[in-house]
Amino acid sequence: QETTPAPATTEAAAIEVQDYGIGAVDAPVQITEYLSFTCPHCEHFHAEVYPKLKAEYIDTGKVRLTYHEVYFDRYGLWAAMMARCGGEMRYFGITDIIYDTQKDWAASDDPSVVVENLKKIGRTAGMDDATLDACMKDGAMADALVTHFEANMKADGVEGTPTFFINGTKHSNMSYEDMKALIDAELAK
């Protein structure tokens, strides 16, 4: 019994990349954040603005926040692959850890150290080494993620991170107060 392996191109085409979101799917305010897991400004937003946004708007059903990952470097791509490894259920918990520990896991010039640091985060989230290895070595998924991010960035005219789309209107990085004013204006419509 011989089985012919499917050509790799078919497999890559079959991978559908999903952008994960948090909050009510039908929330009146939809925010898309273009972010990089290695971007210090994204880390700052995550530390300072996101907790307030989550408590006041996401957890109350007024806002849905969807992440569009951007990979400016391989470390950012690897972090995304690890974060996605646990599926949507674990994704936001893992991205919290990625940002909270960004200065630690991404600090090395040695790629193997960075991979090991990311695996430690994955283990903290309950994944085993076999699962993590499979996710981190999935070349077809890596290609699909890069294709997806490049198409999104081009379509939306995004040049840097973080960039936000609040109900379709593009905004650069901002304080919580500024974001709150924009959300409240949308909610008042």
Side-chain angles (χ1 to χ4, degrees):
Q1 292 177 333
E2 283 187 51
T3 55
T4 313
T9 50
T10 313
E11 190 184 319
I15 294 175
E16 190 178 323
V17 175
Q18 183 183 357
D19 294 309
Y20 293 136
I22 188 169
V25 177
D26 60 351
V29 179
Q30 300 285 325
I31 301 178
T32 300
E33 178 186 359
Y34 277 85
L35 57 91
S36 162
F37 291 126
T38 54
C39 150
H41 297 292
C42 298
E43 183 274 328
H44 183 265
F45 173 84
H46 195 84
E48 301 299 323
V49 179
Y50 175 73
K52 298 174 199 162
L53 177 68
K54 186 173 184 309
E56 192 168 346
Y57 293 103
I58 295 172
D59 293 346
T60 57
K62 296 174 185 166
V63 165
R64 178 166 179 85
L65 175 65
T66 302
Y67 284 175
H68 279 231
E69 300 156 353
V70 173
Y71 319 117
F72 290 127
D73 47 52
R74 59 188 176 173
Y75 291 2
L77 174 61
W78 295 342
M81 290 174 75
M82 191 278 298
R84 291 168 164 275
C85 193
E88 191 166 12
M89 283 283 294
R90 291 183 175 145
Y91 179 80
F92 282 91
I94 293 171
T95 57
D96 287 348
I97 300 169
I98 287 173
Y99 278 125
D100 293 345
T101 62
Q102 183 189 76
K103 291 174 184 73
D104 302 321
W105 70 262
S108 178
D109 290 333
D110 181 346
S112 62
V113 171
V114 173
V115 168
E116 187 49 43
N117 289 344
L118 287 169
K119 284 184 181 176
K120 279 183 200 158
I121 294 171
R123 285 186 213 108
T124 303
M127 291 180 274
D128 61 28
D129 284 345
T131 304
L132 289 163
D133 283 342
C135 287
M136 301 290 284
K137 290 177 180 163
D138 188 343
M141 176 54 88
D143 290 345
L145 287 170
V146 170
T147 301
H148 181 72
F149 118 75
E150 287 173 341
N152 278 336
M153 275 188 75
K154 188 175 179 187
D156 287 340
V158 171
E159 289 162 18
T161 57
T163 297
F164 301 93
F165 286 83
I166 300 176
N167 281 352
T169 304
K170 184 172 155 184
H171 300 276
S172 57
N173 196 13
M174 65 185 84
S175 68
Y176 178 69
E177 291 67 29
D178 290 345
M179 184 170 274
K180 180 177 169 45
L182 290 168
I183 292 169
D184 289 341
E186 287 297 316
L187 290 170
K189 285 182 180 176

